[in-house]
Amino acid sequence: MAVITKKVKGTEDILPRDSYKWQFVEDVMKKEAECFGFKEIRTPVFEHTMLFNRGVGETTDVVQKEMYTFDTKGGESITLRPEGTAGAARAYLEHALHNDGLPIKAYYLLTCYRYEKAQAGRQREFHQFGMETYGAADPRADAEMICAANSVFDRLGVENIKLELNSIGCKNCRKNYTAALKAYFEGYKDQLCDTCLSRLDRNPMRILDCKSEICSGIAKNAPTVLEYICEDCSGHFDMVKSYLDAAGVEYTVNPTIVRGLDYYTRTVFEFVTDSIGAQGTVCGGGRYDGLIEELGGQPTPSLGFAMGLERLLMVMDAQGIEIPKPNTCDLYIAPLGEEAAKKAFVLVKSLRESSLIAETDIIGRALKPQMKYANKIGAKYSMVVGGDDLAANKAVVKKMDTHEQFEVPLDDGFIDKFLEIYISQSHKSVADAFAGEQ
Ligand code: ATP
Ligand code: MG
């Protein structure tokens, strides 16, 4: 019995009393993405396992340790998406989106699934907002992507979030770096964890983001990638920085950032904060020029980022950023008796048609508990319908905070009269606020 009323470890519920916070943040993200000319893409929660093996990379922590993979009844291997980039890239290819005109710019808001050690800021089901651009090799695309992430933080009023930037070069300059890393880590073979030992030959760069204390300690003094990038990559990086400078976006170059996914090339970045403890990376992204080709498409320079909503909301909470409360009920109608209930039922319908938030009793409560409920839901006005007033086709609307009362007809003139009161009263409170300031 206990099990069915307990959520699975690493998952969270977003409750009716809190969902407005998520909706607010998501709304800001959507609007910001749209300002940058991005359109939403929605892809399935699960994909063929192969897509992530290829797209995220066989030697990454995500693929080696964190995926929710299972066989379907039909014998197919399916994986719950651990991130959004691979699915979006698959959709780009499957629907030949390049025909819609390059660059293609898409944003997403989705849940991700990773079998990780659940802790503050690290869940097994979590939410990401991300943006992707396909078909743009120019450093302006990198700068635009970073500006977009930065603008989301700005719009939300998030402070103390640092942009850290690096370039990890292209396939060509990566060769020299990989050789240097291999030579370095060879010297610590007896200390590396098993996973990193296996990475030594296949992809030594992955050792740099191993979470084990010993490996990350060794990695601290490893050669950094910036020393090994080619002239082209270095020129690209300089241009990205100069566009960020022009846009007034502050950053620090952190040569240790390599990102946890295999598909990155050239620019990589993270937005990091110390407001929420150990899991301080709120957003990560970069260029992945090789991904579309890796998945079987034409070479298509592309880039993107993903931002974790849980961590973002934690930062906002830690920084005391107020999220506007949602609108509450405009009018609660409390009926007395069956005939009144029917009247109230029809009246709330017409209020809702005028886009007002209206409620009436749906559980057959007496007047007193109904008014208690109206208070609890923060109703702005209430109105009792019944008795002699109902016979006379009228009622009294009460403003809940000031207890002012207004008579309204219950015939066709009801909505107009209520709106008149509603508007005049909200103007009055604005006027009162001004008067109070003087
Ligand atoms: P970390 O190093 O913290 O594990 P990551 O490099 O695995 O992060 P990405 O794959 O870049 O993370 O995902 C982008 C963002 O998604 C992260 O910056 C973070 O905000 C969020 N994120 C990643 N994994 C989780 C998780 N398990 N729970 C909550 N948020 C997460
Ligand atoms: Mg991770």
Side-chain angles (χ1 to χ4, degrees):
M1 192 63 192
V3 165
I4 61 167
T5 52
K6 215 167 156 28
K7 58 186 159 50
V8 174
K9 190 173 171 181
T11 66
E12 284 297 338
D13 300 306
I14 298 166
L15 302 174
R17 60 169 173 265
D18 292 323
S19 54
Y20 73 96
K21 298 178 189 167
W22 289 77
Q23 289 170 336
F24 177 78
V25 166
E26 288 164 4
D27 219 41
V28 166
M29 290 167 162
K30 284 183 194 168
K31 288 204 176 103
E32 204 52 44
E34 278 157 18
C35 283
F36 277 78
F38 287 64
K39 297 205 175 87
E40 189 179 8
I41 183 165
R42 299 188 190 189
T43 59
V45 170
F46 50 82
E47 301 269 1
H48 296 294
T49 303
M50 207 48 213
L51 172 69
F52 300 114
N53 290 351
R54 271 288 172 77
V56 178
E58 303 268 9
T59 56
T60 58
D61 266 5
V62 170
V63 169
Q64 288 187 321
K65 301 177 185 167
E66 299 170 359
M67 293 208 304
Y68 280 90
T69 297
F70 57 95
D71 286 339
T72 63
K73 288 186 176 133
E76 271 182 306
S77 181
I78 291 294
T79 295
L80 303 186
R81 63 181 170 221
E83 50 93 67
T85 296
R90 195 259 318 132
Y92 171 88
L93 282 168
E94 185 162 353
H95 303 281
L97 289 188
H98 63 275
N99 289 330
D100 293 357
L102 294 179
I104 294 293
K105 297 168 154 192
Y107 75 89
Y108 58 76
L109 270 160
L110 42 72
T111 50
C112 297
Y113 303 85
R114 297 186 193 177
Y115 197 75
E116 299 200 69
K117 190 164 169 253
Q119 54 198 290
R122 192 175 293 287
Q123 294 175 193
R124 291 178 174 177
E125 179 186 68
F126 61 98
H127 296 74
Q128 280 189 345
F129 162 69
M131 293 171 71
E132 317 276 357
T133 297
Y134 305 95
D138 196 281
R140 273 175 291 188
D142 308 50
E144 179 177 83
M145 194 52 88
I146 293 168
C147 282
N150 193 60
S151 305
V152 169
F153 294 124
D154 277 352
R155 286 253 192 222
L156 292 171
V158 175
E159 289 174 351
N160 296 326
I161 189 140
K162 268 181 52 189
L163 165 60
E164 301 196 344
L165 198 60
N166 194 19
S167 173
I168 58 170
C170 60
K171 250 192 184 143
N172 297 332
C173 44
R174 187 83 56 80
K175 275 186 202 131
N176 293 335
Y177 180 53
T178 304
L181 273 184
K182 204 172 159 205
Y184 173 81
F185 284 119
E186 289 277 358
Y188 298 92
K189 247 179 153 166
D190 50 336
Q191 295 173 49
L192 293 175
C193 74
D194 286 346
T195 317
C196 285
L197 262 185
S198 75
R199 288 165 167 166
L200 194 54
D201 283 322
R202 296 171 69 192
N203 192 352
M205 230 167 97
R206 288 279 70 85
I207 303 176
L208 297 175
D209 46 40
C210 179
K211 298 268 183 332
S212 112
E213 227 169 88
I214 297 174
C215 298
S216 57
I218 298 169
K220 272 204 181 93
N221 298 316
T224 58
V225 63
L226 269 183
E227 307 160 44
Y228 290 84
I229 66 174
C230 66
E231 223 169 278
D232 271 2
C233 289
S234 166
H236 182 97
F237 193 42
D238 286 342
M239 288 298 282
V240 174
K241 289 187 283 185
S242 81
Y243 273 98
L244 291 177
D245 292 336
V249 174
E250 285 178 29
Y251 57 84
T252 48
V253 173
N254 178 351
T256 66
I257 296 180
V258 292
R259 311 282 313 125
L261 312 180
D262 260 358
Y263 46 58
Y264 286 106
T265 51
R266 294 195 159 175
T267 315
V268 289
F269 59 92
E270 290 184 350
F271 284 84
V272 188
T273 177
D274 54 16
S275 302
I276 51 169
Q279 320 306 330
T281 308
V282 182
C283 172
R287 181 169 274 289
Y288 48 85
D289 287 346
L291 177 64
I292 295 290
E293 212 179 338
E294 182 69 34
L295 299 180
Q298 294 297 313
T300 309
S302 306
L303 62 161
F305 71 76
M307 200 179 272
L309 270 79
E310 281 78 8
R311 291 187 197 175
L312 177 64
L313 281 158
M314 282 169 70
V315 177
M316 292 177 69
D317 191 45
Q319 296 185 358
I321 296 171
E322 292 244 355
I323 294 177
K325 291 270 186 320
N327 291 331
T328 56
C329 180
D330 291 308
L331 178 60
Y332 180 86
I333 305 181
L336 300 173
E338 189 53 40
E339 192 194 339
K342 211 155 261 157
K343 185 80 191 169
F345 200 78
V346 174
L347 290 174
V348 290
K349 180 170 183 279
S350 59
L351 286 160
R352 291 163 183 166
E353 280 164 4
S354 299
S355 299
L356 290 166
I357 306 177
E359 284 195 64
T360 187
D361 181 53
I362 50 167
I363 57 176
R365 267 196 290 224
L367 183 59
K368 214 168 155 195
Q370 283 199 59
M371 296 319 286
K372 219 169 146 185
Y373 175 75
N375 259 317
K376 200 163 187 173
I377 61 171
K380 297 185 188 91
Y381 293 85
S382 67
M383 177 172 92
V384 178
V385 173
D388 293 346
D389 270 0
L390 178 59
N393 228 2
K394 60 186 174 109
V396 172
V397 162
K398 193 166 99 183
K399 192 157 187 277
M400 297 291 273
D401 53 358
T402 61
H403 302 288
E404 279 168 276
Q405 303 200 349
F406 309 88
E407 196 178 292
V408 293
L410 292 184
D411 54 19
D412 289 349
F414 167 71
I415 283 286
D416 283 349
K417 182 67 190 169
F418 179 71
L419 282 174
E420 186 191 313
I421 297 163
Y422 188 85
I423 291 164
S424 73
Q425 287 298 305
S426 43
H427 284 171
K428 205 173 114 197
S429 50
V430 173
D432 286 349
F434 273 114
E437 267 173 26
Q438 280 160 7

